[in-house]
Amino acid sequence: MADTSSIRKFATAADYTKNFIVQGEIDKYLPGGKHFIDDALIAKCIDEVASRPADPVRVREIIAKSESTCATLLPEETAVLMSASSDPALFEEMRAAADRIKHKVYDNRIVVFAPLYMSNLCVNGCRYCGFREGNDLQQRRVLKMDELKEELDVLAGRIGHKRLIAVYGEHPTTSTEYIAETIETCYGHKVPAKRSGRLNSIRRVNVNAAPLPIADLKVLRSVGIGTFQVFQETYSRRLYEQMHPAWSVKGNYDWRTTCFHRCLEAGVDDVGLGVLYGLCDWRYELLATVLHARDLERWFNIGPHTLSFPRLEPASGTKVPEESPWLIDDVTFSRIVVIARLSVPYTGIIITARENPESRNRVLDHGMTQLDCSSNIAIKGYSDFEDESRQEKTRQQFMLGDGRSLDEMVRYLASRDTITSFCTAGYRCGRTGGCIMDALKTGREGKFCKINAVLTFREWLDDFASDETRAIGDSLIVKELAGIREWLPKFYPTVMKQYEATCRGERDLFF
Ligand code: SAM
Ligand code: SF4
């Protein structure tokens, strides 16, 4: 059990809303009251660079810089790429470079995970969200620990997931104590696998929750949190205030924008940024994301572990997802993903099942590294529904676009010579935050992780795959092992020892 004696407790929603924010933990990271989201600089980049035709020579210089240094670009450079991305020929050059960078940093791997919603009670009033306070169309529920175990039976026993993103509303009933208990429950619950009967469990729990104070983040660190994700929704202070009422905790823009500074101070050093695309001009959001990443790098020498690209989706009791003036189409979405990969080259790029299958398939070679599948976001949906792709608007935050199962996704990825990785070794070996920034930028981490990808892929094929998927997966593994032998001839026998042990049924072997 986590020691939570150092954190503040709130008995009521009103007390929580009034007292949760710790002003000193905001001020510290906005010295002199100056915000790192520099509106004037962003406006200048949009008006003077992103809105004017780009010089192809300059575009190629920026692509080359991104590829060779793997360092975060300057906002002015990102603005040049924005302008260039409307030219089909230049965009294709950018896309190909984005794909090369993805391969340099992450090889041909895609990491998979599943979302697990723990609760939909919320003290906030975000205008685009089905969980917002006062939305009577939503059936409210907080998972109890035995209900959570039923969800894990499906996720770890029937589907075969090893990584979760655990998602929470913001409410005193789902305080840090509750979040810590759910993380510990996820790690502790072992389930027989559908095909082999061998025990499987969740090995990495990432969290998407509201911003927390430093003391609370330290508690989550103590129970082994993976990445802490908080989506900024919009970086535009004006639009942020329109979407998030001033009476709510989330109405405090500065509390949210400084949350990763607090994470890194607390030692939670894998942080996941994101914008809810469709609330504001996408160019503003992407330039602000670059400024955010650069500020984290300036303070801590650590940038975002991941960037997510949620788009507004239909939700119960709100018209914002259909009526916002800033909704983006699929072509713009592809441009955003490519520009993001080139602008923050070392980061993981997550594209969720909010997207439809065509859109997700399209951006696979745009620099993406992670996706979710077999996803159900209804509260207790995995265990209540026979078919995990079933959706119920009154039990979920918004509607999903891609209902493909993990088995189908693994098969599809393998058909594109892409290995599905279930590896969770990195953070368990302390390869997080600053420790892996250099390894990522030089491509060392990508090659190293290929070995762990092969071992965990073997586990999943033997424990969960359908016969059809196993056959195509087996052929891919043959190719991957040949690649490892060529790349690391001396180390290859050691790799093969672990591989053969995995084939015999040993589990969770990694380098
Ligand atoms: N409640 C916490 C918070 O808002 O910080 C945790 C995150 S919330 C459960 C998960 C994320 O879902 C939000 O940050 C938001 O970006 C996204 N979201 C909310 N409504 C959405 C919608 N209609 N379509 C797509 N994504 C949405
Ligand atoms: Fe609550 Fe998060 Fe939904 Fe806002 S986005 S209403 S904070 S669950």
Side-chain angles (χ1 to χ4, degrees), residues 10 16 29 50 55 78 81 105 122 126 222 232 246 256 259 297 317 333 355 377 396 436 453-454 462 477 484 494 502:
F10 299 89
Y16 179 94
Y29 291 110
D55 169 9
T78 295
L81 298 180
V105 181
C122 196
C126 315
S222 76
Q232 179 52 38
R256 202 163 182 92
C259 76
E297 290 168 2
F333 188 72
E355 293 300 307
I377 60 170
Q396 62 195 59
I436 59 159
V454 168
D462 292 347
I477 283 195
I484 294 170
T494 314
T502 304

Side-chain angles (χ1 to χ4, degrees), residues 210-262:
L212 294 172
I214 291 165
D216 296 55
L217 288 161
K218 286 184 177 166
V219 170
L220 296 190
R221 181 173 179 236
S222 76
V223 296
I225 186 179
T227 306
F228 192 66
Q229 257 187 10
V230 175
F231 299 156
Q232 179 52 38
E233 322 304 11
T234 174
Y235 282 98
S236 154
R237 193 184 282 270
R238 185 178 63 80
L239 291 170
Y240 188 91
E241 286 170 1
Q242 276 176 22
M243 287 295 142
H244 308 100
W247 54 258
S248 65
V249 185
K250 193 155 164 183
N252 189 320
Y253 176 90
D254 292 338
W255 179 242
R256 202 163 182 92
T257 43
T258 51
C259 76
F260 295 126
H261 295 72
R262 290 191 294 280

